[in-house]
């Protein structure tokens, strides 16, 4: 068995070192049934020959140019021209027909960067990504990012890029691509919305909420309890990990008041995520009967928490106390 394997390897070496510079007319004797040859035809010929070495030698039927038909394909079909000569002719033919049979040995543009995400801040967004699965055989040159749908590209050698001077509350789409010696790679995208600091967002939520309260003939909430505000911020951070009125450790949401030493005789909680601005989230609560009832309820104080997830999603909390 080892001898046969070595024999095939030697033949393969010969095939690739003996490729001629022109396509010989003799190849047509190795193309059967009007079908185009493939690399598998050449390999099947070699496989057949390696298995027939002993029998051929014993019967003295080695012929460098012609051999009787033999069953060599995986489907068991009969093909003629099962000689090294024909294997070489097939490879010779394929080497000059690469483009026509869809074989391309030239480097391709890079694949798209993987795991693209964005983190938003006050008037800024940082886009992050990981390396493409492959560079297509070309040499890496740089990465490029765009916030103008590809109209303008900014180069970088790192795996992140920060856009500054953006409008808060506006949703942006960012494009990322790798560039290699073979050209521009496949583009991928991510969206994000710049937002001001959480403290100013919380203040704005209180202001808008109180506007609705006053318009409905209610007294505005008081928001000067630091412990209540800290409890609300804690709940917002918890929502990033586990979005529910149950806390990540399984306790009820109301246990946060005891944790932050907030005294109460009545409490309520509103939560939300995915809204990009204080006005959007408050309007979302106003348009939901249960949340609206909490906002217009018989409570005196409010605490607001805002947290941003790793993908830029905003999580919002209102805690009400009387």
């Amino acid at each position: 068995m080892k001898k046969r394997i070595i024999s095939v390897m030697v033949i393969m070496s010969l095939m690739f070192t003996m490729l001629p510079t022109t396509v010989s007319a003799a190849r047509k004797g190795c193309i059967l049934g009007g079908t185009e040859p493939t690399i598998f035809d050449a390999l099947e010929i070699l496989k057949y020959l390696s298995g027939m070495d002993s029998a051929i030698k014993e019967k003295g039927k080695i012929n460098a140019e012609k051999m009787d038909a033999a069953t060599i394909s995986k489907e068991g079909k009969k093909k003629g021209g099962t000689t090294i000569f024909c294997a070489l002719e097939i490879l010779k033919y394929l080497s000059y027909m690469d483009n026509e049979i869809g074989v391309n040995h030239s480097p391709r543009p890079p694949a798209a960067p993987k795991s693209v995400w964005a983190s938003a801040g006050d008037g800024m967004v940082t886009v992050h990504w990981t390396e493409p699965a492959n560079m297509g055989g070309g040499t890496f040159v740089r990465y490029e990012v765009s916030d103008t749908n590809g109209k303008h590209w900014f180069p970088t050698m790192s795996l992140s890029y920060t856009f500054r001077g953006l409008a808060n509350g506006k949703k942006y789409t960012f494009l990322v691509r790798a560039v290699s010696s073979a050209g521009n790679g496949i583009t991928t995208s991510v969206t994000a919305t710049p937002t001001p600091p959480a403290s100013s967002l919380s203040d704005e939520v209180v202001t808008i909420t109180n506007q609705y309260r006053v318009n409905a003939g209610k007294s505005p909430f008081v928001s000067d309890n630091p412990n209540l505000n800290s409890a609300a911020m804690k709940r917002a951070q918890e929502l990033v990990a586990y979005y529910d009125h149950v806390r990540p450790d399984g306790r009820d949401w109301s246990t946060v008041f005891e944790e932050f030493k907030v005294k109460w005789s009545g409490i309520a909680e509103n939560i939300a995520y995915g809204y990009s601005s204080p006005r959007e989230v408050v309007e979302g609560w106003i348009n939901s009967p249960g949340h609206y009832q909490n906002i217009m309820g018989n409570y005196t104080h409010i605490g607001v928490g805002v947290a941003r997830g790793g993908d830029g999603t905003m999580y919002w909390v209102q805690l009400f106390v009387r």
Side-chain angles (χ1 to χ4, degrees):
M1 181 59 72
K2 288 184 178 180
K3 184 180 293 184
R4 289 178 183 172
I5 293 175
I6 293 172
S7 174
V8 173
M9 292 177 66
V10 171
I11 293 172
M12 288 292 287
S13 177
L14 286 172
M15 287 193 303
F16 288 102
T17 57
M18 293 173 63
L19 287 175
T21 58
T22 59
V23 179
S24 169
R27 72 171 178 80
K28 61 186 179 183
C30 302
I31 303 176
L32 308 177
T35 60
E36 290 293 295
T38 68
I39 186 67
F40 298 106
D41 293 313
L43 292 175
E44 286 291 345
I45 289 172
L46 294 175
K47 184 167 67 175
Y48 170 75
L49 291 177
S50 67
M52 292 295 291
D53 273 353
S54 298
I56 292 174
K57 290 178 181 179
E58 289 177 4
K59 297 180 180 180
K61 291 184 178 180
I62 295 181
N63 185 324
E65 293 188 359
K66 186 177 181 181
M67 178 181 251
D68 291 335
T71 302
I72 60 173
S73 68
K74 295 179 181 179
E75 296 82 8
K77 296 179 181 179
K78 289 187 177 181
K79 290 189 176 182
T82 50
T83 64
I84 295 176
F85 170 79
C86 279
L88 289 171
E89 286 298 323
I90 290 173
L91 291 175
K92 185 198 321 180
Y93 172 69
L94 293 177
S95 70
Y96 283 90
M97 293 296 288
D98 272 355
N99 291 334
E100 293 194 21
I101 64 174
V103 179
N104 185 358
H105 299 295
S106 302
R108 303 180 308 279
K114 300 190 298 182
S115 303
V116 180
W117 72 99
S119 53
D122 187 8
M124 59 182 284
V125 170
T126 299
V127 182
H128 312 262
W129 61 90
T130 56
E131 296 179 353
N134 65 78
M135 283 293 169
T139 302
F140 172 75
V141 176
R142 63 182 177 274
Y143 292 107
E144 291 182 343
V145 292
S146 173
D147 63 340
T148 56
N149 199 31
K151 185 177 180 180
H152 301 293
W153 292 92
F154 301 94
T156 179
M157 299 298 290
S158 68
L159 294 174
S160 66
Y161 188 90
T162 300
F163 292 88
R164 303 181 186 277
L166 304 179
N168 285 329
K170 178 181 178 181
K171 188 176 183 179
Y172 289 84
T173 297
F174 304 93
L175 306 180
V176 186
R177 69 186 181 190
V179 179
S180 75
S181 56
N184 298 329
I186 299 173
T187 299
T188 188
S189 64
V190 65
T191 59
T193 303
T195 54
S199 58
S200 61
L201 292 174
S202 299
D203 292 341
E204 191 172 350
V205 168
V206 172
T207 298
I208 297 171
T209 300
N210 278 336
Q211 288 173 352
Y212 279 102
R213 290 264 303 180
V214 172
N215 290 340
K218 304 284 185 179
S219 299
F221 287 123
V222 177
S223 58
D224 61 356
N225 187 328
N227 289 356
L228 181 58
N229 289 326
S230 295
M233 187 61 68
K234 175 70 172 182
R235 285 291 295 131
Q237 293 168 350
E238 291 179 344
L239 294 182
V240 175
Y242 186 67
Y243 185 76
D244 200 288
H245 286 294
V246 176
R247 303 180 72 179
D249 61 7
R251 292 182 295 164
D252 186 75
W253 65 274
S254 61
T255 58
V256 75
F257 293 99
E258 180 181 357
E259 182 177 330
F260 285 87
K261 296 179 172 55
V262 176
K263 297 180 179 181
W264 56 271
S265 59
I267 53 175
E269 176 182 71
N270 282 348
I271 62 175
Y273 78 96
Y275 295 93
S276 60
S277 71
R279 183 160 298 279
E280 285 184 5
V281 69
V282 173
E283 288 179 353
W285 283 324
I286 291 293
N287 291 322
S288 170
H291 297 94
Y292 178 82
Q293 184 176 352
N294 287 340
I295 290 175
M296 297 300 168
N298 188 25
Y299 303 105
T300 57
H301 289 72
I302 187 175
V304 176
V306 184
R308 185 182 295 111
D311 60 355
T313 299
M314 303 296 296
Y315 294 81
W316 311 80
V317 175
Q318 287 179 320
L319 293 181
F320 307 99
V321 174
R322 67 170 178 267

